[in-house]
Amino acid sequence: MDFQLSDDQRALRSGMRDLLGAVFDRDRMRAAVERGGALDRALWRELGAAGFFALRLPEEDGGVGLGLPEAVLLFEEAGRALLPGPLVATHLAAGRVKGAAEGAAVVTAADGDRPVAHLAEADAVLAGGGPLDGEALRAFVAAARPVRSMDPLTPLHLPPPEPVAGGPGRVAFAPGRVAGPAASAPGRAPAYAGRLRYEAALLSAAEQLGSAARTTEMAVQHARERQQFGAPIGSFQAVKHLCADMLARTEPARAAVYAAAVTGDPLEIAAAELLADEAAVRNARDCLQIHGGMGFTWEADVHLHLKRAWLRAATGLTEAEAEEELAAGLGAAPPRSGSSAAYGPGRSQAGGGA
């Protein structure tokens, strides 16, 4: 099997990079930071019009008809650009929540007890009992509590505790006893089940990969331009080693993420998540180190990559969960129920994968 990107896949990636460069350049990113991470609905619709959310929907359903390998390429570019918003949840909600595919709706995810991103702006919330919207969503939002986020581009809310009975057909969330329809109460169930859990983890890993690649580029560029003792700091051995280590983390993570996108194997996705999380966090820290004192300043963008990498690593399939997945899969075992063969037809295997 040819694992090189096809010409169409390269064009897709290049097109997304050009689009994000036009609609979410550094000035717009900084403007989003200043407004506390509030989503730009026009940008969200722009992404929808470009097929970002409907990429894997069948063409007969109004989608693009591509597969997980192509989605990974788009999410890698999103991570590279520090694109804010619940991208993974809205992408996975396409075809399940009205308006998600077109970017007309913002969909986030309530994953058990973990903080929920962009809850105040969401039109729907993916939860264990199904998507929350309407009165149930308003009740959930009213009962949630805003918490400080390490990432200035990702506002967070702590979800309410498990719902308690509030009468026939209704539910009351403990904080404030806010009532609403009980049909889709999320409780503490995970947002995604089955293959969607692994797809969400892989798309998050792709974002981490994009961030790792971008911080590597930022570090190398700074090392070339910054002069110290009459020479670029990139000529110093210690700085060379840091940059080389960043690349040596990024490329194995890229290979793992691309391969997992082709196979859809849960264990390969868990391994890709581990490698991508490590690359994103450690590369951002090394990039900050290479930037020196200016790397710690608010005006530099390095800290934004580090904070987003930290936040992603703490959500979705965490390091501990991924390690448990891999440990459970050690040794001889029958074919896993979550493997690509069990996903059924429609999985993208063409074009050499991503």
Side-chain angles (χ1 to χ4, degrees):
M1 180 180 290
D2 182 9
F3 282 95
Q4 295 295 320
L5 296 183
S6 68
D7 291 340
D8 288 342
Q9 288 171 328
R10 291 192 183 92
L12 179 69
R13 183 174 62 181
S14 176
M16 179 53 60
R17 184 173 299 188
D18 290 344
L19 173 65
L20 293 179
V23 302
F24 195 70
D25 57 13
R26 187 179 185 276
D27 290 340
R28 288 181 173 88
M29 185 265 287
R30 279 291 173 170
V33 171
E34 293 304 318
R35 62 175 183 264
L39 287 180
D40 182 347
R41 290 279 181 159
L43 172 61
W44 210 251
R45 289 190 294 271
E46 190 92 36
L47 292 173
F52 188 94
F53 302 119
L55 186 78
R56 295 191 295 140
L57 278 182
E59 293 185 56
E60 56 268 25
D61 294 333
V64 183
L66 297 178
L68 195 56
E70 289 76 24
V72 158
L73 296 176
L74 297 194
F75 276 82
E76 182 183 350
E77 292 303 316
R80 175 189 174 87
L82 277 178
L83 189 64
L87 300 167
V88 173
T90 304
H91 179 87
L92 295 178
R96 301 173 61 201
V97 174
K98 184 179 179 181
E102 299 81 11
V106 174
V107 184
T108 189
D111 196 9
D113 296 326
R114 294 169 182 167
V116 183
H118 297 277
L119 179 61
E121 302 163 294
D123 301 301
V125 175
L126 297 182
L132 279 174
D133 55 16
E135 188 65 27
L137 174 61
R138 286 188 286 274
F140 185 75
V141 172
R145 176 168 58 88
V147 293
R148 185 182 296 274
S149 173
M150 69 179 76
D151 177 14
L153 285 166
T154 309
L156 298 174
H157 281 74
L158 195 64
E162 289 193 45
V164 296
R170 300 183 68 76
V171 66
F173 294 103
R177 310 286 290 181
V178 181
S184 300
R188 297 183 186 274
Y192 310 109
R195 68 181 179 86
L196 288 181
R197 176 171 179 257
Y198 295 103
E199 290 180 1
L202 183 61
L203 296 178
S204 177
E207 290 182 284
Q208 293 282 62
L209 171 61
S211 180
R214 178 59 185 143
T215 50
T216 301
E217 293 172 3
M218 292 166 64
V220 170
Q221 180 180 358
H222 183 76
R224 285 173 173 167
E225 296 174 352
R226 174 67 172 167
Q227 297 277 327
Q228 194 65 266
F229 305 112
I233 64 172
S235 65
F236 304 147
Q237 188 176 42
V239 176
K240 289 180 181 179
H241 283 181
L242 283 175
C243 292
D245 288 344
M246 294 172 73
L247 183 64
R249 284 190 288 265
T250 302
E251 292 310 309
R254 185 189 310 280
V257 169
Y258 286 8
V262 173
T263 66
D265 187 286
L267 293 185
E268 293 191 13
I269 290 174
E273 178 83 11
L274 283 173
L275 289 171
D277 282 347
E278 179 187 28
V281 172
R282 294 187 62 183
N283 280 16
R285 294 179 68 174
D286 283 352
C287 182
L288 193 149
Q289 181 74 22
I290 290 171
H291 277 72
M294 67 175 293
F296 290 87
T297 63
W298 184 258
E299 289 74 18
D301 295 339
V302 184
H303 71 97
L304 297 175
H305 279 277
L306 179 58
K307 291 169 182 175
R308 182 73 65 84
W310 272 335
L311 186 61
R312 285 200 202 101
T315 57
L317 191 65
T318 64
E319 178 182 2
E321 291 170 340
E323 288 174 345
E324 287 293 332
E325 293 270 356
L326 291 173
L330 290 175
R336 292 174 290 274
S337 60
S339 68
S340 58
Y343 286 0
R347 307 293 299 171
S348 175
Q349 303 288 335

